[in-house]
Amino acid sequence: MAKITASVYTSHVPAIGAALDLGKSGEPYWQPVFKGYDYSKQWLKDNPPDVIFLVYNDHATAFSLEMIPTFAIGTAAEFTPADEGWGPRPVPKVIGHPELAAHIAQSVIQQDFDLTIVNKMDVDHGLTVPLSLMCGQPQAWPCPVIPFAVNVVQYPVPSGRRCFELGKAIRKAVESFDKPLNVQIWGTGGMSHQLQGPRAGLINREFDNAFLDQLIADPEGLASKPHIDYVREAGSEGIELVMWLIARGAMADVAGGPAPKVAHRFYHVPASNTAVGHLILENK
Ligand code: DHB
Ligand code: FE
């Protein structure tokens, strides 16, 4: 049977992608950001997944106000990096895993979650920047990726609780897939940031670090945090953090297994307008 072996959490700042693509990652401003992922790149080589289930948000790129799916699973064979206004990022195309994606869609919908099934979709920085941070600049991404897009852009957005419960359902879905695949689940976006209005530039280190602590030790309690707390404390775009609860809900301890091992933890400010947070949790 397939199995979730680890979860990875990371911010997805678009300027990080641009820094890499334009050869600026060694500059003094960016160097400390990328240094935080040196461990992670080696870890991914040492712990290679067969498939990455990548929870992220689309930023009005593939979707728009014309169509707003709350949860959308990419079931296609491949996904092209999107043109977000400056041309597509010069990164490899994303190879999907239609068979596992279709199985997860079947299982999760039968567990009473409504998913939108997407057979054609370009993927924006929300998906490609986490891959770049974890993999560097390879000719091809190391394995197939199932994109899972969550609406955190246009209200109403799903609650932390719903995201956490969905993670549990995804775990059951993966564990009922009849092939011995090693699956990692990644939760991306966040941490604190606000890109608009009078509070633009807001960063809250205390909130972010408390979020990381609670995500590790008390995800059940964290799932009860209401939207308004994210918006007040972590800024309007800090709401992206609810996506981390999907990945956390898929970990073994939530289903009665042992607590995960914290393989890596990193926090840095600033990167563009955003605090960068990153965690790797391993199932034992
Ligand atoms: C920034 C952060 C984001 O999450 C995003 O989607 C766009 C921009 C930023 O920090 O500039
Ligand atoms: Fe974002």
Side-chain angles (χ1 to χ4, degrees):
M1 292 304 207
K3 187 158 104 180
I4 292 183
T5 52
S7 53
V8 173
Y9 308 82
T10 178
S11 308
H12 67 210
V13 193
I16 291 178
L20 262 182
D21 302 343
L22 301 172
K24 295 183 176 175
S25 57
E27 290 185 359
Y29 180 88
W30 289 112
Q31 210 265 337
V33 176
F34 289 103
K35 199 162 166 3
Y37 291 82
D38 283 349
Y39 175 91
S40 316
K41 289 199 272 268
Q42 189 57 48
W43 175 88
L44 192 62
K45 285 190 182 128
D46 296 342
N47 298 275
D50 296 312
V51 185
I52 296 167
F53 188 90
L54 206 158
V55 180
Y56 76 108
N57 69 292
D58 178 77
H59 299 74
T61 305
F63 306 122
S64 70
L65 291 181
E66 290 178 3
M67 202 194 315
I68 308 168
T70 303
F71 299 118
I73 185 164
T75 44
E78 56 182 61
F79 304 89
T80 305
D83 183 348
E84 297 178 62
W86 296 270
R89 290 191 60 210
V91 294
K93 70 182 174 191
V94 173
I95 304 301
H97 199 301
E99 198 190 348
L100 179 59
H103 170 82
I104 293 174
Q106 158 79 22
S107 169
V108 168
I109 289 170
Q110 287 301 314
Q111 293 177 73
D112 303 333
F113 284 90
D114 305 316
L115 304 186
T116 300
I117 291 165
V118 185
N119 289 313
K120 187 175 188 329
M121 171 167 73
D122 289 352
V123 286
D124 75 7
H125 70 271
L127 183 128
T128 61
V129 167
L131 283 172
S132 295
L133 281 167
M134 292 296 296
C135 309
Q137 294 173 291
Q139 286 300 307
W141 300 121
C143 68
V145 174
I146 298 175
F148 191 86
V150 180
N151 169 40
V152 288
V153 167
Q154 178 62 40
Y155 282 84
V157 310
S159 65
R161 170 67 53 197
R162 185 140 180 87
C163 289
F164 191 61
E165 296 299 324
L166 173 60
K168 295 183 194 174
I170 291 167
R171 175 184 175 77
K172 283 192 194 151
V174 168
E175 290 191 338
S176 62
F177 186 67
D178 194 10
K179 290 210 173 124
L181 295 180
N182 164 348
V183 180
Q184 288 181 7
I185 183 164
W186 293 12
T188 65
M191 299 201 80
S192 60
H193 61 304
Q194 171 145 348
L195 303 177
Q196 60 210 308
R199 296 202 309 164
L202 177 145
I203 299 284
N204 186 341
R205 290 169 195 260
E206 210 178 309
F207 173 94
D208 289 338
N209 281 289
F211 183 93
L212 293 171
D213 290 343
Q214 200 178 1
L215 188 76
I216 295 165
D218 176 28
E220 183 72 49
L222 186 59
S224 298
K225 186 185 283 300
H227 280 155
I228 191 67
D229 288 13
Y230 287 95
V231 176
R232 278 196 186 119
E233 303 284 327
S236 51
E237 277 66 48
I239 193 66
E240 288 179 344
L241 283 169
V242 292
M243 295 186 288
W244 293 30
L245 283 162
I246 297 179
R248 188 64 184 88
M251 292 297 282
D253 61 327
V254 177
K261 177 184 159 197
V262 182
H264 186 51
R265 177 172 174 162
F266 173 65
Y267 184 75
H268 176 80
V269 175
S272 186
N273 304 292
T274 311
V276 171
H278 173 40
L279 268 183
I280 299 176
L281 301 183
E282 290 173 1
N283 274 333
K284 285 193 252 163

